Amino acid sequence: MNSESRLKFLKPDDSDDVFAVDRETQNAETTSFVFNPNRNLSLIAQRDKLPIRKFVNDILYCLSNYQTLILCGECGSGKSTQIPQILYEKGYHAKGIIGITQPRRVSAITLAKRVAEEMGQVFGEEVGVACRFLNKFNEDTKIKFMTEGIIMREIFANPLLSEYSVIIIDEAHERNLITDCILGLLKKIAKKRESLKIIISSATMDAKLFRDFYNFRSKSNPKDTSIILTVEGRMYENEIFYLNEPCADYVQSTVDTIMKIHHKEPAGDILAFLTGQEEITRAIRMLREHMELTNVTEDELKVMPMHASLTHHDQLRVFFHTSRNTRKVIIATNIAETSVTIPGIVFVIDCGFIKLNWYMADLQINMLVVTPASQATARQRAGRAGRIKNGKVYRLFTQEEYQKLPNITAPEMRRADLSTTILTLKALGIDNILRFDFPSAPPAKNMLASIELLYALGAIDSEGNLTNDGLIMAELPLSPIHSKMLLESRELGCSDEILSIVSMMQVQQIFSYPKSGQGAITARRQRRNFEVAEGDLITYLNVYQAFVANGCTKEFCGQFCLMYRHLKRVVEIRNQLELMLTKQFKMKFNSTAASTTIIRRCICAAAFPFAAYLHHSGTYRMVRGDTEVNIHPTSCLYTEKQPSWIVFGEVVHTTKLFVRDITTIESPWLLELAQHYYHKTSVRNNQI
């Protein structure tokens, strides 16, 4: 069945259409990030037309009378770019730096550049940015955009943030793990520093929760310390369409809808939301096949991905203008939901799903789970359309299903591994983690499981205090498992190889996976050049060493079906980690080239909590909990003779529980390297 007969929409008066229009249309307004099509307007004129500029006096009044402002501004009202400028114009920069946090690197960089441009400043001077692998600021910087990880490092260095006069937490509705941690720390700082002003900003969030959280009113001081301000926005109308019947494959439906829009709708770029990199890659491949069949050229339809694993340059490509007759199609994860507004977007396609981390405390494992999105997420995605003219939003689910969605996505604090958070808080001197004031308290079982894991890794002692290794693990921008792996490599004499492996594990995908034809056969044959029986992590090491030995060239990656941009990012990450370890921790690097046994022992010494053995049924069982798991199809061990014992790095839940980043081990290593965690018992199958 072709796309013409499969998807019919855009005619709300036709009862036979697959899509039905929502009569209550949603609105989205222009933003400071959109390049106004009226070219004769100056940047200042564009800026002054933004809705947030009408509320300058209200914002200043709230900040004068309250320490914390909860700012609810509709999508595109100008919150992210205008609030820092308003504060700068009113002299807040004279009292200290105006700091703005963003949940993602690309939003921090692009917003900083836009604000510098609007202010007529050189980017990196008065207006700067700080994020992983990029620092563009100096001692004269007064407005500083940061990722949330950077402000956490700032709190390490300066617990009261005395250099800052205002801290703006943008896109607070995302409620990821580090956001909630920062919100809790800012509450403690605010009690000590009454002069520090805090602004919590978002388009879709539980404003009352944040207001009550930052309200320090007491009997001795009955005055409220926080207030909510809601900002209206100037909006273009969005029509929202739903499916009449559920679709079997939302990736296929996304591709069909893109082609339908391109053939039937007037000019306007398309933004489609999918859950992850693998789905985006599949959708782009399918879309290009459609283009070939229908004789649509790249000059007519320019398709681009947008996800966190892309290099900074590749992420910024989506913001570049195309020629007049070219329609731009961006297929993105939720990285495109907030803060950054891609110019020219008129049509949005929402698959209705999102990929979340979910922590199973009983097994101490994080799972990547694809779940239905929330209504707040759907509204946020819809707000990406209609920025320059009336827009259309296509939701690939029924209106009845939308009504069943939860109002908001569960905060990551309630569904994530807390070991990194606990390490960070303890390094900041907060000993009683169980009594720390989070905006949403995490489940006690998650907290206790994370503490148990840190104790097993040697990061904390029996009294709950940080060990020397724990202090280093708190400083490193890695998970505790990966940090432990690096620390163990010092004693085992394989730190050079382990650093390469850990760096490779920071990117999502290094192999190219064509889905059909000769390309898939060729890619599989080329992967054989690197694969070894010892598992995925040793395979990653072989790939990295071969990439460096061949000059880190794009030609080498093309020949062996490798992802060039991801491997280039690995090189960047490795260089940064090596610089940190040598300068800050005086770590010396050594190498073992004799065999992989030492490297595998080192991996086992850190990843021992995630060990599994081959059950007589042909599947693997985790040593802890005896849960059945399966080798992921992308693992180099998937079609090989299955080893008796493995450790793994990640669990993915689709049709089954699949494990990835696998390394083969010997069962005696668990007793030798983790005798505090395992003991041997006399049971069948020689289980530990």
Side-chain angles (χ1 to χ4, degrees):
M1 185 181 294
N2 59 33
S3 61
E4 188 72 24
S5 60
R6 181 164 33 234
L7 289 176
K8 295 172 61 180
F9 46 89
L10 303 176
K11 294 181 181 177
D13 54 337
D14 286 352
S15 59
D16 293 335
D17 287 345
V18 177
F19 277 97
V21 67
D22 179 14
R23 301 298 182 183
E24 297 182 3
T25 58
Q26 177 175 329
N27 296 324
E29 65 287 359
T30 55
T31 101
S32 59
F33 216 131
V34 173
F35 293 95
N36 197 306
N38 190 354
R39 304 297 182 185
N40 60 358
L41 286 178
S42 66
L43 284 174
I44 301 242
Q46 294 178 50
R47 183 186 69 181
D48 291 343
K49 284 178 175 287
L50 289 166
I52 197 76
R53 285 283 172 175
K54 301 175 184 177
F55 297 87
V56 171
N57 291 333
D58 302 277
I59 292 168
L60 295 175
Y61 172 82
C62 291
L63 287 177
S64 297
N65 292 276
Y66 300 89
Q67 188 173 9
T68 303
L69 169 61
I70 314 302
L71 184 64
C72 298
E74 298 176 20
C75 291
S77 58
K79 306 180 302 297
S80 300
T81 57
Q82 299 310 304
I83 296 298
Q85 294 183 64
I86 291 169
L87 298 176
Y88 183 89
E89 292 162 6
K90 300 305 177 181
Y92 276 87
H93 68 284
K95 305 172 186 177
I97 300 171
I98 300 167
I100 311 98
T101 72
Q102 292 292 331
R104 295 179 183 86
R105 168 191 174 95
V106 65
S107 21
I109 296 169
T110 49
L111 287 171
K113 287 182 177 179
R114 179 63 179 183
V115 170
E117 186 181 12
E118 288 186 359
M119 293 176 63
Q121 300 286 346
V122 176
F123 175 56
E125 295 185 2
E126 284 282 307
V127 181
V129 66
C131 56
R132 195 179 188 189
F133 307 128
L134 179 67
N135 290 316
K136 290 281 288 184
F137 64 92
N138 56 34
E139 62 274 6
D140 296 324
T141 297
K142 299 301 181 184
I143 298 178
K144 186 176 179 182
F145 285 84
M146 304 169 279
T147 52
E148 293 169 334
I150 295 296
I151 197 170
M152 186 66 77
R153 300 292 158 185
E154 298 260 1
I155 296 174
F156 266 112
N158 184 357
L160 292 180
L161 295 175
S162 56
E163 293 181 352
Y164 292 86
S165 62
V166 183
I167 295 292
I168 303 171
I169 307 296
D170 201 9
E171 306 301 347
H173 72 277
E174 294 206 9
R175 301 294 304 278
N176 58 46
L177 198 60
I178 195 167
T179 302
D180 275 18
C181 190
I182 290 169
L183 290 171
L185 290 170
L186 283 178
K187 181 175 181 179
K188 296 178 74 70
I189 295 170
K191 290 179 178 179
K192 298 286 185 180
R193 274 193 66 200
E194 293 183 3
S195 61
L196 178 67
K197 299 296 183 179
I198 301 170
I199 300 177
I200 313 296
S201 169
S202 177
T204 54
M205 66 175 173
D206 188 347
K208 291 182 179 179
L209 181 147
F210 288 114
R211 182 197 62 190
D212 296 341
F213 183 70
Y214 280 99
N215 198 349
F216 310 141
R217 185 175 54 186
S218 61
K219 290 183 179 179
S220 58
N221 182 19
K223 182 183 175 182
D224 288 337
T225 57
S226 63
I227 189 172
I228 299 172
L229 176 64
T230 301
V231 177
E232 297 177 355
R234 183 179 79 256
M235 300 172 287
Y236 289 95
E237 187 178 273
N238 275 345
E239 280 189 298
I240 299 181
F241 297 85
Y242 295 90
L243 285 173
N244 278 337
E245 299 292 337
C247 63
D249 183 350
Y250 58 78
V251 177
Q252 179 67 59
S253 295
T254 296
V255 173
D256 292 341
T257 305
I258 290 171
M259 296 306 297
K260 180 73 94 173
I261 291 171
H262 180 63
H263 289 304
K264 297 212 171 177
E265 287 293 310
D269 295 340
I270 302 169
L271 174 61
F273 287 98
L274 293 175
T275 66
Q277 179 182 341
E278 292 179 2
E279 288 184 357
I280 290 173
T281 303
R282 177 183 162 210
I284 290 175
R285 178 184 55 79
M286 293 167 62
L287 192 55
R288 285 177 175 152
E289 290 175 356
H290 271 265
M291 290 167 63
E292 289 179 8
L293 292 173
T294 55
N295 296 319
V296 176
T297 66
E298 282 281 342
D299 292 333
E300 299 175 68
L301 199 64
K302 189 174 182 63
V303 185
M304 289 179 284
M306 189 179 186
H307 51 79
S309 293
L310 293 174
T311 63
H312 170 54
H313 175 73
D314 288 332
Q315 287 178 349
L316 292 184
R317 285 177 59 227
V318 302
F319 298 99
F320 300 159
H321 288 281
T322 57
S323 61
R324 182 181 297 274
N325 297 321
T326 302
R327 190 195 297 270
K328 188 165 57 177
V329 177
I330 296 101
I331 305 182
T333 61
N334 58 349
I335 191 175
E337 277 180 21
T338 56
S339 294
V340 294
T341 300
I342 302 169
I345 297 298
V346 177
F347 307 100
V348 165
I349 302 170
D350 181 2
C351 72
F353 289 87
I354 191 171
K355 187 177 286 187
L356 296 176
N357 271 319
W358 206 273
Y359 185 60
M360 297 181 66
D362 296 339
L363 304 177
Q364 292 185 343
I365 59 173
N366 267 315
M367 291 196 307
L368 275 174
V369 183
V370 175
T371 65
S374 64
Q375 292 185 15
T377 297
R379 290 195 299 272
Q380 194 76 33
R381 290 176 172 180
R384 303 297 99 187
R387 297 307 184 93
I388 58 174
K389 62 180 182 180
N390 292 347
K392 292 182 178 179
V393 179
Y394 301 91
R395 290 176 173 165
L396 302 180
F397 46 92
T398 64
Q399 191 166 5
E400 291 74 19
E401 287 301 316
Y402 174 77
Q403 299 299 331
K404 296 176 184 178
L405 295 177
N407 290 327
I408 59 172
T409 304
E412 192 177 7
M413 185 65 67
R414 300 191 60 82
R415 53 179 173 79
D417 173 17
L418 301 172
S419 54
T420 301
T421 301
I422 293 171
L423 269 182
T424 301
L425 295 178
K426 283 194 169 291
L428 289 169
I430 300 170
D431 293 325
N432 195 343
I433 301 297
L434 296 176
R435 295 183 65 86
F436 183 76
D437 195 3
F438 292 106
S440 298
K445 64 177 183 179
N446 289 13
M447 184 77 78
L448 293 173
S450 299
I451 291 173
E452 179 185 338
L453 176 63
L454 290 175
Y455 177 68
L457 294 174
I460 58 176
D461 59 24
S462 58
E463 300 296 322
N465 300 316
L466 280 183
T467 61
N468 291 333
D469 282 356
L471 284 169
I472 298 175
M473 291 164 71
E475 289 281 346
L476 291 173
L478 300 168
S479 71
I481 297 292
H482 295 163
S483 298
K484 177 68 172 178
M485 213 177 287
L486 283 170
L487 295 178
E488 287 293 327
S489 70
R490 297 175 303 180
E491 305 297 327
L492 293 172
C494 56
S495 51
D496 192 72
E497 288 83 2
I498 291 297
L499 180 60
S500 299
I501 290 172
V502 167
S503 300
M504 290 287 280
M505 294 174 74
Q506 306 311 307
V507 299
Q508 290 186 354
Q509 184 176 330
I510 58 170
F511 291 111
S512 175
Y513 290 96
K515 296 296 182 182
S516 61
Q518 187 61 36
I521 298 172
T522 301
R524 181 65 187 139
R525 187 185 302 120
Q526 296 296 358
R527 285 198 295 274
R528 288 285 186 183
N529 290 292
F530 308 103
E531 292 177 349
V532 289
E534 288 85 351
D536 299 322
L537 299 194
I538 307 301
T539 298
Y540 295 163
L541 177 61
N542 290 340
V543 171
Y544 178 81
Q545 290 177 340
F547 179 63
V548 173
N550 285 273
C552 303
T553 63
K554 188 176 290 187
E555 292 73 21
F556 172 79
C557 293
Q559 179 184 352
F560 290 98
C561 301
L562 301 172
M563 306 288 282
Y564 173 72
R565 60 180 179 269
H566 294 178
L567 286 172
K568 287 290 287 183
R569 181 157 174 77
V570 169
V571 174
E572 293 176 1
I573 292 171
R574 192 186 189 283
N575 290 339
Q576 290 286 335
L577 287 174
E578 184 174 6
L579 186 64
M580 174 182 282
L581 290 166
T582 52
K583 282 194 171 183
Q584 193 169 339
F585 303 112
K586 311 300 179 187
M587 183 171 168
K588 295 181 180 179
F589 286 88
N590 41 40
S591 174
T592 174
S595 74
T596 61
T597 301
I598 294 175
I599 300 172
R600 290 189 296 130
R601 283 174 60 88
C602 183
I603 294 168
C604 180
F608 60 83
F610 312 116
Y613 65 93
L614 183 61
H615 193 256
H616 59 76
S617 63
T619 62
Y620 283 90
R621 298 285 182 90
M622 290 183 61
V623 178
R624 180 188 176 94
D626 209 36
T627 302
E628 183 178 304
V629 294
N630 300 270
I631 293 178
H632 196 274
T634 58
S635 171
C636 68
L637 298 176
Y638 181 66
T639 58
E640 300 300 314
K641 180 181 178 181
Q642 294 180 309
S644 299
W645 290 83
I646 60 172
V647 291
F648 55 87
E650 186 180 26
V651 179
V652 179
H653 181 263
T654 52
T655 55
K656 305 177 185 176
L657 282 179
F658 290 102
V659 293
R660 297 196 294 202
D661 297 342
I662 300 168
T663 304
T664 63
I665 62 169
E666 303 293 333
S667 59
W669 294 355
L670 294 174
L671 293 173
E672 180 185 347
L673 300 171
Q675 54 185 327
H676 60 292
Y677 198 80
Y678 293 113
H679 65 275
K680 192 171 184 178
T681 58
S682 298
V683 293
R684 290 183 181 179
N685 304 322
N686 296 320
Q687 298 176 23
I688 290 184

